[in-house]
Amino acid sequence: MFANLTLRERRLLKQAQVGATISFILLFVPILTISLLHTSDSLAKWLGIVGVIMVLPLLYFAWQILKIAYKDQKDNPTPPLWVPKVYGIGLSINPYHRFGKLIFILLAVLIVGIIISLLFTPASQIDAIRHLTRCTGKLLGSC
């Protein structure tokens, strides 16, 4: 799997794995803060924005790990879009396929669009969304 990596590739893989782990942990700090503490509307809005922003480095580090994991596809003149996952069962996007690159770019653009829309969303609407998420699974009359 990762046995025949050069020293540089091993270092990049380790950096990407550590970065992805830190990003993943930092992604859940705002989510837990919003759900466990009774925060103000404006604080909840900014914590939500920080949470969505933390998805961008996670996406970048995932891209770096995929590039190292599927380096054998780099020299393939017609690489497949879907390749078997390195870890576990299933398929993964090939970072060396032109549509694979496009998918990751579109995901990043979508996340930036969500961040921009959150910046212009009034805090009062955030409170309405928080109220609806608390009512999930309850009877409508009890919310």
Side-chain angles (χ1 to χ4, degrees):
M1 187 168 8
F2 289 121
N4 56 354
L5 296 178
T6 65
L7 186 60
R8 180 180 182 276
E9 289 170 335
R10 285 181 193 268
R11 191 185 78 234
L12 289 174
L13 178 64
K14 188 67 169 177
Q15 289 173 349
Q17 288 172 335
V18 169
T21 303
I22 292 170
S23 297
F24 192 72
I25 291 169
L26 291 176
L27 170 68
F28 283 102
V29 169
I31 294 170
L32 291 174
T33 304
I34 292 171
S35 62
L36 296 177
L37 302 176
H38 297 288
T39 58
S40 67
D41 295 342
S42 61
L43 181 61
K45 173 184 172 178
W46 289 106
L47 286 173
I49 291 170
V50 168
V52 175
I53 287 172
M54 290 313 302
V55 174
L56 286 173
L58 189 61
L59 185 66
Y60 170 76
F61 291 125
W63 172 263
Q64 293 300 319
I65 292 170
L66 284 174
K67 282 178 62 177
I68 294 169
Y70 299 112
K71 70 176 186 163
D72 58 329
Q73 298 290 327
K74 188 176 187 176
D75 298 328
N76 188 348
T78 57
L81 176 60
W82 299 102
V83 289
K85 288 178 68 172
V86 175
Y87 298 113
I89 300 171
L91 297 174
S92 182
I93 298 171
N94 186 353
Y96 293 106
H97 190 277
R98 67 175 185 252
F99 289 128
K101 293 176 187 175
L102 181 65
I103 289 170
F104 273 91
I105 290 169
L106 289 176
L107 282 173
V109 168
L110 176 69
I111 292 167
V112 169
I114 291 171
I115 293 167
I116 290 170
S117 71
L118 282 174
L119 285 171
F120 293 107
T121 302
S124 60
Q125 286 183 352
I126 301 289
D127 183 50
I129 294 169
R130 286 174 55 201
H131 179 69
L132 287 175
T133 58
R134 285 188 197 128
C135 294
T136 305
K138 296 181 183 177
L139 295 174
L140 290 176
S142 66
C143 292

